[in-house]
Amino acid sequence: MLLTLPNRWNSLYDACSVLLQRVMDDDARLEAVNEVLRNEGCTNRNRTSYYGFDDQDKQVLQEYCKVMKPLANCLDRLQTEENAYLGVLLPTLTLMRVALERMEEARGDQALTYAKPLVRALLRQEGNKGGFNNRFSAMFKDLDLLMASALHPNYGMTTFNSVAPNMKEEIFQRIVKEMKALIRQETEERDNSQDMEAMEEHEEVSADPFAELCDTTQADQEDDLEEDIKKELLAWKRSKEATLKKSHFPAKYRDQWVTLFIKYNTGIPSSAAVERLFSTAGDVLRPKRACLSEDNFEYLVFLKGNLHLLKQKFKVPRGVDEEDEMF
């Protein structure tokens, strides 16, 4: 049986889910739990008789788990260390909001009986900073967060009809503008390098020094470049693979697309990894190792944290006590 922990956000949801799956849906186990509750002196809501879990309790737990499941899934996605890109944030929050709104608007057999106040509290709360709308509405106007989602191959511009439809055109134009700047910068650097080489070989004065001022080639190239970027962006289909690859980005100007993706999708550091590091350090610095030097302690923590990169398994020799185990 799972227990609720204050520092594990989904622990109450996980505990209730296990209770439903392993106890409430099994008559024998449910009767055994009810017997324990009766022996412990648990009473009903009116404190008039002893009882265990009944059908109403089961429905309450089912509705609680149904409402909290989108929130739990959202937290699991956002606190992972794999594919933890900033562009994941807004689509994940949108997915949770849409699921909660559907439950709030459900009618008939799908309507909630007991958990509607919970749905309303999760979506909106008057007079405080709680609820989805109060906490996250400003994020859906943040241009950097929107750019991160638009440049993520798993989402792209196709998700903006749900994420931020009123910001779609602005983000589209901003991507085109920044891509043009990146491509132009690289082209100018390459051209300058070639010009310097040419000047060293041919130091001749042009017969028409004003020809560059009358040249319209550059303007035409700018228009062509903008059209190319727009076509690539509109034709960019979202990838369904969890692990991102360079091939998921548009083929034309791929290096610039990747550069722009990295610019906006650098993840925000999470405290979860730090908490795990402290836990690892606690496993290393045991009572029998109280005399470890700072350097050796740091080496051991580093090795244990990166042991998976070595792709090796260290076995404890026979006769060695577990307390004396190296890792």
Side-chain angles (χ1 to χ4, degrees):
M1 189 67 182
L2 296 178
L3 300 177
T4 59
L5 300 172
N7 61 340
R8 293 293 180 266
W9 297 330
N10 292 342
S11 60
L12 180 59
Y13 165 78
D14 292 335
C16 290
S17 297
V18 171
L19 179 63
L20 279 172
Q21 295 171 7
R22 299 186 181 180
V23 177
M24 306 294 278
D25 292 336
D26 188 307
D27 294 337
R29 291 180 178 178
L30 179 59
E31 180 57 32
V33 170
N34 287 342
E35 182 65 26
V36 172
L37 293 175
R38 284 191 289 268
N39 293 336
E40 291 294 327
C42 297
T43 60
N44 63 5
R45 298 168 189 81
N46 299 322
R47 298 183 180 275
T48 57
S49 61
Y50 294 99
Y51 86 113
F53 287 107
D54 57 19
D55 291 340
Q56 187 176 8
D57 295 322
K58 183 177 180 179
Q59 186 177 355
V60 170
L61 287 173
Q62 286 174 335
E63 291 192 5
Y64 170 81
C65 290
K66 181 179 179 180
V67 171
M68 294 301 294
K69 185 176 182 179
L71 179 60
N73 290 340
C74 177
L75 289 172
D76 287 339
R77 291 191 188 101
L78 294 180
Q79 67 186 356
T80 181
E81 292 184 12
E82 298 180 0
N83 302 316
Y85 301 105
L86 200 58
V88 175
L89 177 61
L90 295 186
T92 303
L93 290 175
T94 302
L95 202 63
M96 180 186 70
R97 173 180 57 80
V98 170
L100 291 174
E101 288 176 347
R102 287 175 179 170
M103 281 186 268
E104 185 182 30
E105 298 169 358
R107 298 291 184 270
D109 296 338
Q110 299 298 320
L112 299 172
T113 304
Y114 303 103
K116 277 189 177 181
L118 176 59
V119 176
R120 288 193 290 266
L122 290 172
L123 286 174
R124 65 190 73 84
Q125 294 181 27
E126 301 296 336
N128 59 40
K129 296 181 180 180
F132 182 94
N133 294 340
N134 294 333
R135 286 180 178 272
F136 304 116
S137 58
M139 291 185 179
F140 289 83
K141 299 177 183 179
D142 188 306
L143 295 180
D144 288 346
L145 291 177
L146 292 169
M147 286 285 288
S149 298
L151 292 165
H152 196 295
N154 290 153
Y155 310 109
M157 296 300 300
T158 55
T159 60
F160 266 65
N161 293 329
S162 300
V163 174
N166 57 329
M167 302 290 289
K168 185 175 182 178
E169 183 60 28
E170 183 176 353
I171 295 300
F172 183 90
Q173 295 299 333
R174 182 170 173 175
I175 291 175
V176 173
K177 180 181 177 180
E178 295 204 21
M179 278 294 296
K180 283 176 60 179
L182 281 174
I183 297 169
R184 191 186 304 117
Q185 178 183 358
E186 183 175 319
T187 303
E188 288 176 355
E189 292 175 355
R190 184 174 63 250
D191 291 345
N192 289 338
S193 177
Q194 294 174 353
D195 290 343
M196 290 295 294
E197 294 176 359
M199 287 175 64
E200 292 175 358
E201 296 177 1
H202 307 285
E203 295 183 352
E204 298 180 359
V205 179
S206 173
D208 185 5
F210 301 100
E212 185 177 352
L213 300 180
C214 303
D215 188 8
T216 59
T217 304
Q218 185 175 359
D220 294 338
Q221 290 177 345
E222 287 287 325
D223 292 339
D224 293 341
L225 175 60
E226 183 171 336
E227 287 301 317
D228 286 344
I229 295 172
K230 288 181 178 180
K231 288 179 181 179
E232 291 292 321
L233 187 54
L234 291 172
W236 190 7
K237 302 298 183 183
R238 61 180 293 265
S239 170
K240 296 181 181 180
E241 294 185 36
T243 303
L244 297 188
K245 302 176 183 176
K246 194 172 182 179
S247 58
H248 293 162
F249 294 88
K252 199 167 187 178
Y253 311 118
R254 178 166 287 166
D255 290 339
Q256 287 78 13
W257 284 110
V258 173
T259 299
L260 198 59
F261 167 82
I262 293 174
K263 175 183 177 181
Y264 285 102
N265 272 278
T266 301
I268 297 175
S270 169
S271 63
V274 178
E275 292 175 4
R276 279 191 285 274
L277 177 62
F278 286 144
S279 177
T280 299
D283 292 338
V284 171
L285 192 60
R286 298 172 180 175
K288 291 186 178 181
R289 292 178 175 176
C291 295
L292 273 176
S293 67
E294 295 179 2
D295 290 339
N296 286 337
F297 172 69
E298 184 177 350
Y299 295 153
L300 289 173
V301 173
F302 178 82
L303 285 173
K304 185 166 184 178
N306 295 278
L307 201 59
H308 63 283
L309 299 177
L310 301 177
K311 296 182 179 179
Q312 295 180 5
K313 295 182 179 179
F314 292 87
K315 296 183 179 180
V316 182
R318 292 183 179 178
V320 176
D321 186 70
E322 185 178 355
E323 281 291 320
D324 296 327
E325 180 189 349
M326 181 176 182
F327 296 108

